[in-house]
PDB file of all heavy atoms in Angstrom:
ATOM      1  N   LEU M 112     103.666 125.331  96.947  1.00 95.00           N
ATOM      2  CA  LEU M 112     103.186 123.995  96.664  1.00 95.00           C
ATOM      3  C   LEU M 112     103.793 122.956  97.591  1.00 95.00           C
ATOM      4  O   LEU M 112     103.120 122.029  98.027  1.00 95.00           O
ATOM      5  CB  LEU M 112     103.432 123.622  95.209  1.00 95.00           C
ATOM      6  CG  LEU M 112     102.661 124.418  94.163  1.00 95.00           C
ATOM      7  CD1 LEU M 112     103.030 123.966  92.762  1.00 95.00           C
ATOM      8  CD2 LEU M 112     101.169 124.318  94.384  1.00 95.00           C
ATOM      9  N   LEU M 113     105.076 123.119  97.899  1.00 96.00           N
ATOM     10  CA  LEU M 113     105.720 122.224  98.849  1.00 96.00           C
ATOM     11  C   LEU M 113     105.064 122.327 100.225  1.00 96.00           C
ATOM     12  O   LEU M 113     104.851 121.314 100.919  1.00 96.00           O
ATOM     13  CB  LEU M 113     107.200 122.519  98.966  1.00 96.00           C
ATOM     14  CG  LEU M 113     108.067 122.257  97.727  1.00 96.00           C
ATOM     15  CD1 LEU M 113     109.492 122.698  97.998  1.00 96.00           C
ATOM     16  CD2 LEU M 113     108.022 120.776  97.356  1.00 96.00           C
ATOM     17  N   LYS M 114     104.725 123.554 100.631  1.00 96.00           N
ATOM     18  CA  LYS M 114     104.085 123.760 101.925  1.00 96.00           C
ATOM     19  C   LYS M 114     102.704 123.129 101.957  1.00 96.00           C
ATOM     20  O   LYS M 114     102.339 122.451 102.938  1.00 96.00           O
ATOM     21  CB  LYS M 114     103.965 125.268 102.219  1.00 96.00           C
ATOM     22  CG  LYS M 114     103.317 125.554 103.537  1.00 96.00           C
ATOM     23  CD  LYS M 114     103.224 127.045 103.785  1.00 96.00           C
ATOM     24  CE  LYS M 114     102.563 127.305 105.146  1.00 96.00           C
ATOM     25  NZ  LYS M 114     102.435 128.740 105.424  1.00 96.00           N
ATOM     26  N   GLN M 115     101.952 123.296 100.892  1.00 95.00           N
ATOM     27  CA  GLN M 115     100.610 122.699 100.808  1.00 95.00           C
ATOM     28  C   GLN M 115     100.698 121.191 100.906  1.00 95.00           C
ATOM     29  O   GLN M 115      99.947 120.552 101.660  1.00 95.00           O
ATOM     30  CB  GLN M 115      99.937 123.116  99.489  1.00 95.00           C
ATOM     31  CG  GLN M 115      98.566 122.535  99.291  1.00 95.00           C
ATOM     32  CD  GLN M 115      97.989 122.913  97.934  1.00 95.00           C
ATOM     33  OE1 GLN M 115      98.492 123.807  97.247  1.00 95.00           O
ATOM     34  NE2 GLN M 115      96.929 122.233  97.551  1.00 95.00           N
ATOM     35  N   GLU M 116     101.606 120.580 100.159  1.00 94.00           N
ATOM     36  CA  GLU M 116     101.788 119.135 100.205  1.00 94.00           C
ATOM     37  C   GLU M 116     102.176 118.666 101.606  1.00 94.00           C
ATOM     38  O   GLU M 116     101.670 117.680 102.124  1.00 94.00           O
ATOM     39  CB  GLU M 116     102.860 118.716  99.194  1.00 94.00           C
ATOM     40  CG  GLU M 116     103.177 117.241  99.207  1.00 94.00           C
ATOM     41  CD  GLU M 116     104.333 116.901  98.308  1.00 94.00           C
ATOM     42  OE1 GLU M 116     105.437 117.431  98.529  1.00 94.00           O
ATOM     43  OE2 GLU M 116     104.130 116.085  97.391  1.00 94.00           O
ATOM     44  N   ASP M 117     103.072 119.395 102.254  1.00 95.00           N
ATOM     45  CA  ASP M 117     103.527 119.077 103.601  1.00 95.00           C
ATOM     46  C   ASP M 117     102.366 119.133 104.608  1.00 95.00           C
ATOM     47  O   ASP M 117     102.203 118.240 105.443  1.00 95.00           O
ATOM     48  CB  ASP M 117     104.640 120.032 104.018  1.00 95.00           C
ATOM     49  CG  ASP M 117     105.235 119.647 105.368  1.00 95.00           C
ATOM     50  OD1 ASP M 117     105.815 118.547 105.457  1.00 95.00           O
ATOM     51  OD2 ASP M 117     105.121 120.452 106.306  1.00 95.00           O
ATOM     52  N   GLU M 118     101.541 120.185 104.518  1.00 95.00           N
ATOM     53  CA  GLU M 118     100.398 120.310 105.428  1.00 95.00           C
ATOM     54  C   GLU M 118      99.404 119.174 105.216  1.00 95.00           C
ATOM     55  O   GLU M 118      98.866 118.627 106.186  1.00 95.00           O
ATOM     56  CB  GLU M 118      99.726 121.665 105.237  1.00 95.00           C
ATOM     57  CG  GLU M 118     100.544 122.822 105.758  1.00 95.00           C
ATOM     58  CD  GLU M 118      99.997 124.178 105.378  1.00 95.00           C
ATOM     59  OE1 GLU M 118      99.082 124.256 104.515  1.00 95.00           O
ATOM     60  OE2 GLU M 118     100.507 125.190 105.921  1.00 95.00           O
ATOM     61  N   GLU M 119      99.180 118.792 103.961  1.00 95.00           N
ATOM     62  CA  GLU M 119      98.237 117.685 103.667  1.00 95.00           C
ATOM     63  C   GLU M 119      98.777 116.379 104.248  1.00 95.00           C
ATOM     64  O   GLU M 119      98.005 115.589 104.821  1.00 95.00           O
ATOM     65  CB  GLU M 119      98.020 117.547 102.173  1.00 95.00           C
ATOM     66  CG  GLU M 119      97.191 118.696 101.596  1.00 95.00           C
ATOM     67  CD  GLU M 119      97.117 118.666 100.084  1.00 95.00           C
ATOM     68  OE1 GLU M 119      97.607 117.704  99.449  1.00 95.00           O
ATOM     69  OE2 GLU M 119      96.540 119.615  99.509  1.00 95.00           O
ATOM     70  N   MET M 120     100.076 116.142 104.111  1.00 94.00           N
ATOM     71  CA  MET M 120     100.665 114.927 104.662  1.00 94.00           C
ATOM     72  C   MET M 120     100.614 114.952 106.191  1.00 94.00           C
ATOM     73  O   MET M 120     100.300 113.922 106.820  1.00 94.00           O
ATOM     74  CB  MET M 120     102.120 114.773 104.177  1.00 94.00           C
ATOM     75  CG  MET M 120     102.214 114.391 102.726  1.00 94.00           C
ATOM     76  SD  MET M 120     101.390 112.853 102.279  1.00 94.00           S
ATOM     77  CE  MET M 120     102.352 111.666 103.191  1.00 94.00           C
ATOM     78  N   ASP M 121     100.925 116.072 106.808  1.00 94.00           N
ATOM     79  CA  ASP M 121     100.858 116.168 108.276  1.00 94.00           C
ATOM     80  C   ASP M 121      99.433 115.910 108.755  1.00 94.00           C
ATOM     81  O   ASP M 121      99.249 115.204 109.764  1.00 94.00           O
ATOM     82  CB  ASP M 121     101.322 117.548 108.740  1.00 94.00           C
ATOM     83  CG  ASP M 121     102.828 117.697 108.716  1.00 94.00           C
ATOM     84  OD1 ASP M 121     103.564 116.671 108.531  1.00 94.00           O
ATOM     85  OD2 ASP M 121     103.298 118.853 108.898  1.00 94.00           O
ATOM     86  N   ASN M 122      98.435 116.460 108.083  1.00 94.00           N
ATOM     87  CA  ASN M 122      97.043 116.223 108.475  1.00 94.00           C
ATOM     88  C   ASN M 122      96.655 114.728 108.331  1.00 94.00           C
ATOM     89  O   ASN M 122      95.986 114.170 109.206  1.00 94.00           O
ATOM     90  CB  ASN M 122      96.076 117.088 107.641  1.00 94.00           C
ATOM     91  CG  ASN M 122      96.173 118.547 108.032  1.00 94.00           C
ATOM     92  OD1 ASN M 122      96.549 118.897 109.131  1.00 94.00           O
ATOM     93  ND2 ASN M 122      95.830 119.407 107.085  1.00 94.00           N
ATOM     94  N   PHE M 123      97.109 114.137 107.255  1.00 94.00           N
ATOM     95  CA  PHE M 123      96.848 112.701 107.060  1.00 94.00           C
ATOM     96  C   PHE M 123      97.491 111.870 108.180  1.00 94.00           C
ATOM     97  O   PHE M 123      96.855 110.982 108.735  1.00 94.00           O
ATOM     98  CB  PHE M 123      97.369 112.254 105.689  1.00 94.00           C
ATOM     99  CG  PHE M 123      97.290 110.775 105.479  1.00 94.00           C
ATOM    100  CD1 PHE M 123      96.070 110.163 105.193  1.00 94.00           C
ATOM    101  CD2 PHE M 123      98.418 109.976 105.564  1.00 94.00           C
ATOM    102  CE1 PHE M 123      95.973 108.794 104.981  1.00 94.00           C
ATOM    103  CE2 PHE M 123      98.348 108.612 105.367  1.00 94.00           C
ATOM    104  CZ  PHE M 123      97.110 108.028 105.076  1.00 94.00           C
ATOM    105  N   PHE M 124      98.746 112.178 108.510  1.00 93.00           N
ATOM    106  CA  PHE M 124      99.421 111.464 109.586  1.00 93.00           C
ATOM    107  C   PHE M 124      98.698 111.627 110.911  1.00 93.00           C
ATOM    108  O   PHE M 124      98.575 110.676 111.678  1.00 93.00           O
ATOM    109  CB  PHE M 124     100.867 111.922 109.695  1.00 93.00           C
ATOM    110  CG  PHE M 124     101.780 111.443 108.600  1.00 93.00           C
ATOM    111  CD1 PHE M 124     103.076 111.877 108.546  1.00 93.00           C
ATOM    112  CD2 PHE M 124     101.350 110.566 107.633  1.00 93.00           C
ATOM    113  CE1 PHE M 124     103.955 111.442 107.539  1.00 93.00           C
ATOM    114  CE2 PHE M 124     102.199 110.123 106.609  1.00 93.00           C
ATOM    115  CZ  PHE M 124     103.502 110.564 106.572  1.00 93.00           C
ATOM    116  N   LYS M 125      98.212 112.856 111.178  1.00 94.00           N
ATOM    117  CA  LYS M 125      97.479 113.091 112.417  1.00 94.00           C
ATOM    118  C   LYS M 125      96.193 112.267 112.463  1.00 94.00           C
ATOM    119  O   LYS M 125      95.853 111.688 113.504  1.00 94.00           O
ATOM    120  CB  LYS M 125      97.146 114.578 112.578  1.00 94.00           C
ATOM    121  CG  LYS M 125      98.320 115.421 112.956  1.00 94.00           C
ATOM    122  CD  LYS M 125      97.952 116.900 113.014  1.00 94.00           C
ATOM    123  CE  LYS M 125      99.194 117.736 113.174  1.00 94.00           C
ATOM    124  NZ  LYS M 125      98.868 119.181 113.137  1.00 94.00           N
ATOM    125  N   GLU M 126      95.460 112.218 111.345  1.00 95.00           N
ATOM    126  CA  GLU M 126      94.252 111.427 111.258  1.00 95.00           C
ATOM    127  C   GLU M 126      94.535 109.942 111.515  1.00 95.00           C
ATOM    128  O   GLU M 126      93.686 109.214 112.043  1.00 95.00           O
ATOM    129  CB  GLU M 126      93.591 111.591 109.903  1.00 95.00           C
ATOM    130  CG  GLU M 126      92.962 112.941 109.682  1.00 95.00           C
ATOM    131  CD  GLU M 126      92.443 113.117 108.250  1.00 95.00           C
ATOM    132  OE1 GLU M 126      92.347 112.111 107.505  1.00 95.00           O
ATOM    133  OE2 GLU M 126      92.149 114.270 107.885  1.00 95.00           O
ATOM    134  N   MET M 127      95.692 109.479 111.116  1.00 95.00           N
ATOM    135  CA  MET M 127      96.071 108.084 111.297  1.00 95.00           C
ATOM    136  C   MET M 127      96.780 107.828 112.629  1.00 95.00           C
ATOM    137  O   MET M 127      97.323 106.748 112.845  1.00 95.00           O
ATOM    138  CB  MET M 127      96.963 107.636 110.129  1.00 95.00           C
ATOM    139  CG  MET M 127      96.325 107.818 108.763  1.00 95.00           C
ATOM    140  SD  MET M 127      94.783 106.895 108.560  1.00 95.00           S
ATOM    141  CE  MET M 127      95.354 105.242 108.483  1.00 95.00           C
ATOM    142  N   ASP M 128      96.859 108.863 113.486  1.00 95.00           N
ATOM    143  CA  ASP M 128      97.555 108.783 114.761  1.00 95.00           C
ATOM    144  C   ASP M 128      99.037 108.424 114.602  1.00 95.00           C
ATOM    145  O   ASP M 128      99.619 107.658 115.368  1.00 95.00           O
ATOM    146  CB  ASP M 128      96.876 107.783 115.712  1.00 95.00           C
ATOM    147  CG  ASP M 128      95.563 108.305 116.252  1.00 95.00           C
ATOM    148  OD1 ASP M 128      95.455 109.540 116.433  1.00 95.00           O
ATOM    149  OD2 ASP M 128      94.653 107.493 116.441  1.00 95.00           O
ATOM    150  N   LEU M 129      99.639 108.998 113.554  1.00 94.00           N
ATOM    151  CA  LEU M 129     101.056 108.821 113.290  1.00 94.00           C
ATOM    152  C   LEU M 129     101.771 110.120 113.572  1.00 94.00           C
ATOM    153  O   LEU M 129     101.181 111.205 113.490  1.00 94.00           O
ATOM    154  CB  LEU M 129     101.282 108.405 111.824  1.00 94.00           C
ATOM    155  CG  LEU M 129     100.669 107.089 111.381  1.00 94.00           C
ATOM    156  CD1 LEU M 129     100.750 106.931 109.890  1.00 94.00           C
ATOM    157  CD2 LEU M 129     101.394 105.941 112.071  1.00 94.00           C
ATOM    158  N   PRO M 130     103.065 110.070 113.882  1.00 91.00           N
ATOM    159  CA  PRO M 130     103.814 111.321 114.090  1.00 91.00           C
ATOM    160  C   PRO M 130     103.986 112.059 112.765  1.00 91.00           C
ATOM    161  O   PRO M 130     104.051 111.456 111.682  1.00 91.00           O
ATOM    162  CB  PRO M 130     105.160 110.860 114.648  1.00 91.00           C
ATOM    163  CG  PRO M 130     105.278 109.438 114.223  1.00 91.00           C
ATOM    164  CD  PRO M 130     103.905 108.878 114.090  1.00 91.00           C
ATOM    165  N   THR M 131     104.067 113.377 112.848  1.00 86.00           N
ATOM    166  CA  THR M 131     104.278 114.166 111.623  1.00 86.00           C
ATOM    167  C   THR M 131     105.720 113.936 111.123  1.00 86.00           C
ATOM    168  O   THR M 131     106.620 113.582 111.881  1.00 86.00           O
ATOM    169  CB  THR M 131     104.057 115.655 111.859  1.00 86.00           C
ATOM    170  OG1 THR M 131     104.940 116.091 112.915  1.00 86.00           O
ATOM    171  CG2 THR M 131     102.629 115.963 112.225  1.00 86.00           C
ATOM    172  N   ASN M 132     105.873 114.157 109.853  1.00 87.00           N
ATOM    173  CA  ASN M 132     107.188 113.943 109.220  1.00 87.00           C
ATOM    174  C   ASN M 132     108.012 115.213 109.361  1.00 87.00           C
ATOM    175  O   ASN M 132     107.750 116.224 108.695  1.00 87.00           O
ATOM    176  CB  ASN M 132     106.976 113.586 107.747  1.00 87.00           C
ATOM    177  CG  ASN M 132     108.263 113.316 107.020  1.00 87.00           C
ATOM    178  OD1 ASN M 132     109.333 113.299 107.614  1.00 87.00           O
ATOM    179  ND2 ASN M 132     108.155 113.086 105.715  1.00 87.00           N
ATOM    180  N   ASP M 133     109.036 115.151 110.177  1.00 89.00           N
ATOM    181  CA  ASP M 133     109.916 116.302 110.375  1.00 89.00           C
ATOM    182  C   ASP M 133     110.972 116.444 109.283  1.00 89.00           C
ATOM    183  O   ASP M 133     111.730 117.408 109.283  1.00 89.00           O
ATOM    184  CB  ASP M 133     110.600 116.231 111.748  1.00 89.00           C
ATOM    185  CG  ASP M 133     109.600 116.379 112.881  1.00 89.00           C
ATOM    186  OD1 ASP M 133     108.566 117.058 112.677  1.00 89.00           O
ATOM    187  OD2 ASP M 133     109.836 115.791 113.959  1.00 89.00           O
ATOM    188  N   GLU M 134     111.032 115.471 108.373  1.00 89.00           N
ATOM    189  CA  GLU M 134     112.040 115.487 107.324  1.00 89.00           C
ATOM    190  C   GLU M 134     111.409 115.591 105.933  1.00 89.00           C
ATOM    191  O   GLU M 134     111.928 115.068 104.962  1.00 89.00           O
ATOM    192  CB  GLU M 134     112.904 114.208 107.415  1.00 89.00           C
ATOM    193  CG  GLU M 134     113.685 114.098 108.703  1.00 89.00           C
ATOM    194  CD  GLU M 134     114.694 115.231 108.882  1.00 89.00           C
ATOM    195  OE1 GLU M 134     115.333 115.647 107.887  1.00 89.00           O
ATOM    196  OE2 GLU M 134     114.831 115.713 110.024  1.00 89.00           O
ATOM    197  N   SER M 135     110.283 116.267 105.838  1.00 91.00           N
ATOM    198  CA  SER M 135     109.643 116.441 104.522  1.00 91.00           C
ATOM    199  C   SER M 135     110.505 117.341 103.646  1.00 91.00           C
ATOM    200  O   SER M 135     111.399 118.054 104.119  1.00 91.00           O
ATOM    201  CB  SER M 135     108.256 117.064 104.706  1.00 91.00           C
ATOM    202  OG  SER M 135     108.371 118.401 105.155  1.00 91.00           O
ATOM    203  N   VAL M 136     110.198 117.318 102.359  1.00 93.00           N
ATOM    204  CA  VAL M 136     110.935 118.166 101.416  1.00 93.00           C
ATOM    205  C   VAL M 136     110.796 119.622 101.827  1.00 93.00           C
ATOM    206  O   VAL M 136     111.787 120.351 101.914  1.00 93.00           O
ATOM    207  CB  VAL M 136     110.436 117.959  99.966  1.00 93.00           C
ATOM    208  CG1 VAL M 136     111.059 118.952  99.019  1.00 93.00           C
ATOM    209  CG2 VAL M 136     110.683 116.536  99.515  1.00 93.00           C
ATOM    210  N   TYR M 137     109.584 120.046 102.153  1.00 95.00           N
ATOM    211  CA  TYR M 137     109.330 121.428 102.526  1.00 95.00           C
ATOM    212  C   TYR M 137     110.160 121.832 103.774  1.00 95.00           C
ATOM    213  O   TYR M 137     110.821 122.868 103.759  1.00 95.00           O
ATOM    214  CB  TYR M 137     107.842 121.648 102.807  1.00 95.00           C
ATOM    215  CG  TYR M 137     107.498 122.995 103.366  1.00 95.00           C
ATOM    216  CD1 TYR M 137     107.548 124.143 102.557  1.00 95.00           C
ATOM    217  CD2 TYR M 137     107.108 123.139 104.696  1.00 95.00           C
ATOM    218  CE1 TYR M 137     107.223 125.379 103.075  1.00 95.00           C
ATOM    219  CE2 TYR M 137     106.778 124.389 105.221  1.00 95.00           C
ATOM    220  CZ  TYR M 137     106.850 125.505 104.404  1.00 95.00           C
ATOM    221  OH  TYR M 137     106.542 126.741 104.904  1.00 95.00           O
TER     222      TYR M 137
END
Side-chain angles (χ1 to χ4, degrees):
L112 293 179
L113 293 177
K114 181 180 180 181
Q115 178 183 347
E116 177 186 60
D117 185 63
E118 289 171 349
E119 290 173 5
M120 289 301 294
D121 283 349
N122 289 335
F123 173 76
F124 286 175
K125 285 177 189 175
E126 289 174 13
M127 302 301 288
D128 288 326
L129 298 169
T131 58
N132 181 6
D133 293 330
E134 297 298 321
S135 68
V136 173
Y137 173 72

